[in-house]
Amino acid sequence: MIPSEVSVLIIGGGGSGLTSSLFLSDLDVDSLLVERHPGTSHMPKAGAHNQRTMEIFRRHGIADEVQRTGAPAENRMRAAWMTTLGGNGPLDRRHLFSIDLNGEGVFREIYERDSPELSAGLGQYLIEPLIRRNAEKRDLGRLCFNHEVVSLEQNGSGAIAGIRDRATGTTHSVRAQYVIAADGGRSIGGMVGANLTGTTGLAAMLSIYFRADLSAYVDDDVMAYWFVGAEFGAWAGGSMVKAGPTKWDRFSETWTIHFMFHPDDPDIGRLTKNNALPRLRKILNLPELDAEVLGVSPWTIEAVQTDQYRVGNIFFIGDAAHRQPPTSGLGLQSAIQDADNLAWKLAAVLHGWAPESLLDTYESERRAVIAANVEYALFAFQNQFAFEAGLGLNRAKTTEERRAAFLAYFADTPIGETRRARAREVFNTVRLELNPHDREIGFHYGAGALIPDGTVPPPRDPMGVNYIPTTRPGHRLPHAWLNKRGQRVSTHDIGGIGKFILLTGRRGASWCEAADELSRKTLVPISAFRISADGDFGDPTRRWERLREIEEDGALLIRPDRYVACRFPRMSEDPYDSLRSAMSKILGRSFDDVPSDLPTAGSRQEVEFPQ
């Protein structure tokens, strides 16, 4: 039965909506999710999940299941460019370039160094049911598919939604304190006056999801193929990706290909599941391919962001707030990270330990990050066209001219070798798209629920790969492996869900006592830990000591989403007052009426740690 009242109404059951339900339940907040479709996505889109997303999943206990369900690392190690997949001509099935991707191969060392989780590979048609199952196991989240919101009105205390059961036609009225619009921008923005602005209609694209045996044409360790040949140029030739779901080597049962239409292509808007097979065969140059088309999905390349992330008590996340090209894989990942940022703030307000104004920091933090992601993804999409110039195709207009350029490219001559060497240099720039390590975990918040300390952020790699960890406020908590009674524990494993954590060193006991007392008196959940040989966690490799950027008697205050809220380089004269003042600024709540007396020495209780 649909409840008449709920703390949070989630509109949309895609990746961002489902994760919102899961996160809120784990934060002890009740919610109702409404999705107009009868089930989750049937298309294997958004197949790469980066380390930051996997860290969030780790916190909520589903990272291992995501890894087990998706493609094993050895089957998604490379991306490759070829002229065609099939054919027997002199320019068919020719290899152009390959690169390790998703933090595997030559990139594995830096990915393992910087996070307790590696990236994962599984499309939306696999990950959405997985998240849905886990969300439905939580007692506080109710999920209603095949239901749609037909009306939404706000008042001073929240919103009232009219929700229609699409199977029976019955309409229910639900009052919610807050609403999360995760509907992909289909309806809620228009209802409340929030508009997506930016660049639209850059290219018409189509995804074809199909079943076929391609084992004679592909390799076990290549996850994605791009085709650039005499007939089809960059993106027009398509990008083909393994889709599993049980085999992920060259015997993958299903595949997805994404390709771009020429502006005057008569197939735009015409191809369906029933008539797309000839186009698929032509792109792959496999005219006799025995394939079953399982689904098609038209879409357009755009780079847009909402002009309002919050309208009253309604918050926009995921595709309802921003859309970007799939290149660099930041779309769904940004959506999940939207949910992570918003969920803990909603919980803080609903549980009464933060004021309503904390919710304004959702937009002030996410807007700038998303703007950078959208710009980067668009650049990565356009960078694929640079490969045409690298191959010597920039002046080739017709198929015959492209064929001549490829014959010159493959020629067994000194200038042919030079052409190929130039192409490798240009192709290698694709690392900014396929291994954007710094873009994935190195972004930071400049203003919001944090206290800047006046320091300069570390330099960013313009190619998006190399990440420099820092404890500067607004940045993600750096990962280091610690020791707890013989168990290896990441800094990201410390503390519980929905809590602030305070980290200090060997001489920081007074910070821990202050944090325990402040938490007891204000009800703000804070767990404090000393990282030292005689403390709560050991640092046997001394990596944390090199990363922490504070003295042994300093402290770091970390938010529930594992971003640094503020840092104290060294011991304060009055650590309790310093911490109380900082928390007041972070949450936007006055703690002036809370007494500043420190507890007596030795009063701190032993804290249980998550296993």
Side-chain angles (χ1 to χ4, degrees):
M1 179 178 293
I2 292 181
S4 59
E5 294 189 8
V6 69
S7 294
V8 181
L9 171 64
I10 303 165
I11 304 173
S16 59
L18 289 168
T19 51
S20 294
S21 174
L22 177 69
F23 299 164
L24 288 170
S25 291
D26 285 349
L27 291 162
D28 202 28
V29 172
D30 65 294
S31 66
L32 170 67
L33 181 148
V34 176
E35 165 56 48
R36 66 186 302 271
H37 291 104
T40 52
S41 175
H42 67 284
M43 293 290 290
K45 300 178 290 184
H49 305 283
N50 67 38
Q51 287 180 290
R52 181 62 198 138
T53 294
M54 294 303 296
E55 288 170 354
I56 296 169
F57 287 164
R58 181 186 182 95
R59 196 187 325 138
H60 289 274
I62 65 170
D64 287 347
E65 186 179 358
V66 170
Q67 292 285 11
R68 288 194 305 271
T69 305
E74 60 268 24
N75 296 138
R76 56 181 181 88
M77 290 187 64
R78 290 191 298 133
W81 279 257
M82 297 178 65
T83 54
T84 66
L85 189 66
N88 297 307
L91 296 179
D92 292 331
R93 302 186 67 177
R94 301 295 295 267
H95 179 269
L96 299 172
F97 182 76
S98 67
I99 188 173
D100 297 338
L101 81 163
N102 295 329
E104 298 300 337
V106 298
F107 299 96
R108 181 73 174 257
E109 182 179 354
I110 63 172
Y111 276 65
E112 285 188 327
R113 179 193 66 203
D114 293 329
S115 175
E117 291 286 340
L118 294 174
S119 60
L122 69 167
Q124 281 182 251
Y125 84 126
L126 293 176
I127 197 167
E128 286 185 2
L130 185 157
I131 300 171
R132 179 181 177 178
R133 288 194 303 271
N134 280 276
E136 288 175 336
K137 291 178 184 177
R138 271 64 170 176
D139 293 335
L140 291 172
R142 181 173 176 82
L143 287 74
C144 294
F145 282 73
N146 209 27
H147 287 68
E148 64 181 337
V149 172
V150 294
S151 65
L152 186 64
E153 297 179 1
Q154 294 198 78
N155 55 32
S157 59
I160 300 175
I163 299 173
R164 185 172 70 90
D165 183 330
R166 301 186 73 197
T168 66
T170 305
T171 300
H172 306 266
S173 180
V174 176
R175 182 184 299 273
Q177 290 177 261
Y178 297 101
V179 175
I180 297 177
D183 66 329
R186 288 189 298 267
S187 60
I188 305 305
M191 288 183 182
V192 300
N195 301 298
L196 290 163
T197 62
T199 306
T200 61
L202 291 169
M205 307 287 293
L206 187 76
S207 299
I208 302 177
Y209 173 39
F210 65 99
R211 185 188 309 277
D213 178 6
L214 301 179
S215 58
Y217 307 97
V218 299
D219 293 322
D220 288 331
D221 64 342
V222 176
M223 186 69 179
Y225 287 90
W226 272 267
F227 303 113
V228 181
E231 185 166 359
F232 295 110
W235 282 113
S239 169
M240 188 179 75
V241 185
K242 290 176 181 173
T246 63
K247 298 176 183 177
W248 295 96
D249 55 10
R250 68 184 184 278
F251 297 101
S252 176
E253 304 99 321
T254 64
W255 301 78
T256 305
I257 189 164
H258 315 283
F259 64 91
M260 180 181 69
F261 290 105
H262 189 275
D264 59 2
D265 193 315
D267 279 344
I268 296 178
R270 190 188 69 85
L271 294 183
T272 67
K273 183 172 138 178
N274 297 323
N275 63 9
L277 182 57
R279 183 65 176 248
L280 174 65
R281 288 170 169 168
K282 184 176 182 181
I283 289 177
L284 297 182
N285 198 19
L286 293 171
E288 304 300 323
L289 177 66
D290 180 14
E292 177 188 4
V293 176
L294 303 174
V296 300
S297 177
W299 48 288
T300 59
I301 294 293
E302 52 189 348
V304 297
Q305 186 170 195
T306 184
D307 57 2
Q308 300 177 80
Y309 272 67
R310 177 183 187 182
V311 178
N313 284 6
I314 301 171
F315 298 85
F316 294 86
I317 70 172
D319 282 358
H322 45 82
R323 298 178 199 154
Q324 60 211 57
T327 40
S328 71
L330 296 175
L332 178 58
Q333 311 309 291
S334 297
I336 293 169
Q337 291 155 29
D338 288 345
D340 185 45
N341 184 288
L342 179 60
W344 79 264
K345 295 172 182 177
L346 285 170
V349 174
L350 288 165
H351 292 323
W353 50 266
E356 175 84 15
S357 59
L358 176 66
L359 299 175
D360 291 332
T361 67
Y362 166 64
E363 176 164 357
S364 63
E365 291 180 354
R366 295 300 295 167
R367 176 174 289 282
V369 170
I370 294 302
N373 283 351
V374 170
E375 183 179 39
Y376 191 83
L378 181 58
F379 182 84
F381 176 80
Q382 294 168 334
N383 187 61
Q384 292 263 351
F385 297 102
F387 303 161
E388 296 266 308
L391 290 164
L393 297 167
N394 47 311
R395 295 185 179 179
K397 305 299 182 184
T398 66
T399 300
E400 287 308 311
E401 288 173 338
R402 290 178 66 87
R403 185 177 299 277
F406 270 109
L407 288 172
Y409 175 84
F410 287 117
D412 187 16
T413 62
I415 194 62
E417 178 58 33
T418 298
R419 291 177 189 276
R420 293 188 289 276
R422 177 186 63 180
R424 287 193 294 270
E425 294 277 358
V426 178
F427 269 109
N428 194 44
T429 63
V430 80
R431 67 189 186 277
L432 69 84
E433 174 187 344
L434 300 182
N435 292 281
H437 184 49
D438 181 58
R439 285 283 165 175
E440 293 171 346
I441 67 174
F443 65 87
H444 70 278
Y445 302 130
L450 55 97
I451 302 176
D453 64 1
T455 57
V456 177
R460 304 287 301 273
D461 180 359
M463 293 300 290
V465 179
N466 296 308
Y467 158 74
I468 300 176
T470 179
T471 61
R472 182 176 178 268
H475 291 252
R476 162 189 166 274
L477 171 67
H479 156 71
W481 287 117
L482 305 175
N483 179 64
K484 178 64 178 179
R485 301 189 183 101
Q487 179 186 6
R488 192 172 74 156
V489 177
S490 169
T491 47
H492 281 253
D493 298 329
I494 298 176
I497 293 174
K499 293 184 177 182
F500 281 84
I501 61 173
L502 183 135
L503 302 180
T504 186
R506 182 174 60 86
R507 296 188 288 114
S510 293
W511 286 114
C512 293
E513 294 166 359
D516 291 346
E517 184 71 357
L518 183 66
S519 183
R520 183 180 68 81
K521 291 178 176 178
T522 65
L523 302 183
V524 177
I526 313 171
S527 296
F529 307 96
R530 279 194 312 124
I531 299 177
S532 66
D534 63 343
D536 301 302
F537 294 93
D539 181 22
T541 66
R542 303 184 72 176
R543 176 165 169 78
W544 175 248
E545 181 181 327
R546 296 190 294 273
L547 293 175
R548 68 190 184 191
E549 298 177 308
I550 56 172
E551 301 295 332
E552 285 190 339
D553 60 352
L556 297 171
L557 184 62
I558 313 299
R559 304 184 335 183
D561 59 354
R562 298 307 185 259
Y563 279 80
V564 180
C566 71
R567 62 180 173 183
F568 306 94
R570 59 194 59 84
M571 180 60 69
S572 167
E573 291 184 6
D574 187 342
Y576 181 91
D577 191 61
S578 296
L579 189 59
R580 180 181 64 173
S581 175
M583 192 64 79
S584 176
K585 294 176 182 177
I586 292 163
L587 296 179
R589 169 187 169 187
S590 174
F591 292 124
D592 290 342
D593 56 340
V594 178
S596 60
D597 56 306
L598 273 171
T600 57
S603 65
R604 182 168 181 256
Q605 300 296 309
E606 177 71 14
V607 180
E608 291 296 323
F609 306 105
Q611 299 301 311

